[in-house]
Amino acid sequence: MTDGTYWLEHAWLGTHVEPGVSVEVADGRIGAVRTGTPAPPPGAEVLRGLTLPGLANAHSHAFHRALRGTVQVGSGTFWTWREVMYSVADRLTPETYHALARAVYAEMALAGITCVGEFHYVHHAPGGTPYADPNAMGEALIAAAAEAGIRITLLDTCYLSSGFGEAPDTHQLRFSDGSAEAWAARCAVLEERDHARIGAAIHSVRAVPAAQLATVAGWAQERRAPLHVHLSEQTAENDACLAAHGRTPTRLLADHGVLGPRTTGVHSTHLTDEDIALLGGSGTGTCMCPTTERDLADGIGPAVALQRAGSPLSLGSDSHAVIDLLEEARAMELNERLRTRTRGHWTAAALLRAATADGHAALGWDEAGRIEPGALADLTTIALDSVRTAGPLPRLGAETAVFAAGAADVRHTVVGGRHVVRDGAHTLVPDVPQALARAVEALRA
């Protein structure tokens, strides 16, 4: 259904939970929201449980899903994990990446995610030779999202060097276009579609020479497109940036015109007070990925300070050690409790905004993430009768969603008025676990 009426047993309307809400849908958008509807209107599609706006996964590397369960044994650091990650990247082709991403995006839909920001940097064949279609890999991701029934912002990533002043290593050759100008020329060919928007990304300050940062920022600014950047995920990156440029990565980005309201720093873990002021004062967003940050032993970023300084927060599952935006929201609060030994840094409503409206805004979908007239008809319904969610009063649904529920409790996912997940089953990818297993096995073969 793309036109018609959904009846929501309980709906989170941004500030509170309302029982009995009718949502009229026309052309994939919400035409009207009617409260005080105790019973489903005739012909309405019924969504029992708590319905939220669709969730936005603001930071994804789809191929990292192939690492789940294989990199958790033994000791190591982010840098040793990266070598294993490169070995997977080396084996990707447009065909195998499409199959894997389709399955991963279907897993996201099962978790209530209706839009993903794909931080995409595996552009070329091994050795750096472009495919016949230079955007074959990006097109594979866009097609995969369509087949899985979700929206995508392809954050096409500029990645030119292995470190400050260093050429790409053997693994990274397929990431590089040679220069920011060549990157921009390739990206200019990418076309947006109903379900897909094109954004830009700077992989990191170590991967894009300082003199070329402005080229990427200018490309995004001309198109009013989102611009994302991995920022200060590791102290080693900060140390190398200070040695090369005498300033922090945040200051380097500020000095080259990268920061601003359409820019999002991903991780932003190891920041100075000046960094926080620069990010907040410029309105630059922050995407936290707590399950990946703890999996890689990155550290706990200053999310509270960043938000207070003026940086909107969004959430991502990044390496997909876990695909669960409710867990990401919960983890951000619980991480801060561990760090400060105090509770209650965000309300449940604030955490849900990070997972919905603010996440969509970070991806350039400002018309999504809300249940209100004119918004895209993207909805996520969470069961209130599972072993995790049974018991709390329905009016406390926001708290139940954030602090009790998880991806396994998602009952329905609706994108543009179309049921993509119904009663916990994907309607477009019939056996998501099998699709994941086959796609991962193809990369191991």
Side-chain angles (χ1 to χ4, degrees):
M1 179 182 78
T2 55
D3 293 344
T5 300
Y6 282 97
W7 181 78
L8 319 182
E9 185 180 27
H10 302 280
W12 182 68
L13 298 182
T15 57
H16 66 288
V17 173
E18 186 78 26
V21 176
S22 290
V23 173
E24 297 176 9
V25 177
D27 296 326
R29 289 181 179 261
I30 296 173
V33 177
R34 306 188 192 282
T35 58
T37 310
E45 185 109 38
V46 174
L47 302 182
R48 295 207 177 273
L50 171 68
T51 298
L52 315 170
L55 305 178
N57 187 352
H59 189 66
S60 163
H61 301 291
F63 76 91
H64 289 191
R65 174 62 177 80
L67 297 170
R68 186 186 295 178
T70 66
V71 290
Q72 273 69 38
V73 178
S75 61
T77 66
F78 166 87
W79 306 101
T80 54
W81 168 87
R82 189 177 71 159
E83 293 304 311
V84 182
M85 179 268 289
Y86 282 160
S87 71
V88 174
D90 288 343
R91 296 194 290 276
L92 291 171
T93 67
E95 294 75 24
T96 59
Y97 206 3
H98 171 266
L100 178 60
R102 175 179 176 268
V104 173
Y105 297 155
E107 182 182 357
M108 290 184 192
L110 289 172
I113 293 164
T114 56
C115 185
V116 61
E118 185 61 42
F119 199 102
H120 166 56
Y121 56 82
V122 186
H123 301 306
H124 308 299
T129 302
Y131 291 102
D133 174 358
N135 287 304
M137 295 294 263
E139 292 290 348
L141 293 166
I142 291 171
E147 292 173 30
I150 69 171
R151 306 183 195 278
I152 185 172
T153 297
L154 186 74
L155 297 162
D156 198 290
T157 304
C158 188
Y159 195 135
L160 305 173
S161 62
S162 63
F164 297 95
E166 301 292 332
D169 67 21
T170 300
H171 301 294
Q172 297 162 344
L173 287 172
R174 68 183 312 192
F175 308 161
S176 176
D177 290 292
S179 69
E181 289 77 13
W183 166 86
R186 179 180 53 73
C187 290
V189 180
L190 287 163
E191 295 182 355
E192 296 194 341
R193 275 140 265 194
D194 287 345
H195 80 292
R197 293 186 178 167
I198 308 301
I202 292 165
H203 180 273
S204 56
V205 293
R206 70 178 185 274
V208 178
Q212 301 190 58
L213 292 170
T215 299
V216 184
W219 188 94
Q221 185 174 11
E222 288 170 10
R223 290 159 177 78
R224 301 185 64 80
L227 172 63
H228 288 215
V229 54
H230 289 137
L231 179 58
S232 291
E233 183 177 4
Q234 292 290 316
T235 55
E237 177 182 286
N238 289 357
D239 295 342
C241 189
L242 286 166
H245 297 289
R247 64 200 82 177
T248 66
T250 301
R251 169 53 75 181
L252 186 67
L253 294 173
D255 290 348
H256 290 273
V258 175
L259 303 186
R262 283 191 297 276
T263 300
T264 296
V266 181
H267 303 304
S268 301
T269 306
H270 304 286
L271 303 178
T272 66
D273 290 343
E274 181 192 25
D275 293 339
I276 292 169
L278 284 169
L279 293 166
S282 62
T284 299
T286 298
C287 180
M288 290 293 180
C289 307
T291 64
T292 290
E293 289 150 7
R294 72 191 184 200
D295 183 58
L296 298 181
D298 287 343
I300 299 171
V304 171
L306 282 162
Q307 189 169 52
R308 286 176 179 165
S311 179
L313 298 179
S314 55
L315 298 165
S317 62
D318 191 2
S319 69
H320 312 313
V322 176
I323 295 181
D324 188 337
L325 260 288
L326 300 174
E327 171 62 18
E328 302 293 346
R330 177 165 55 247
M332 191 160 67
E333 166 67 22
L334 297 185
N335 282 353
E336 194 66 17
R337 292 182 185 186
L338 284 174
R339 191 179 70 81
T340 63
R341 289 174 289 173
T342 59
R343 305 175 78 217
H345 302 278
W346 291 277
T347 64
L351 293 169
L352 285 179
R353 279 195 297 275
T356 56
D358 289 347
H360 280 96
L363 297 177
W365 295 88
D366 296 290
E367 70 273 47
R370 300 176 302 280
I371 301 177
E372 61 183 41
L376 292 170
D378 298 353
L379 306 170
T380 296
T381 302
I382 296 168
L384 294 178
D385 56 0
S386 77
V387 294
R388 288 164 293 279
T389 61
L393 296 171
R395 64 180 174 81
L396 299 176
E399 286 73 15
T400 302
V402 172
F403 293 107
D409 298 304
V410 172
R411 181 173 283 164
H412 305 288
T413 304
V414 174
V415 182
R418 178 175 68 164
H419 235 124
V420 175
V421 173
R422 187 190 300 274
D423 295 321
H426 204 289
T427 63
L428 305 175
V429 182
D431 191 334
V432 178
Q434 186 180 63
L436 284 163
R438 284 199 304 259
V440 172
E441 182 58 31
L443 292 176
R444 292 179 182 156

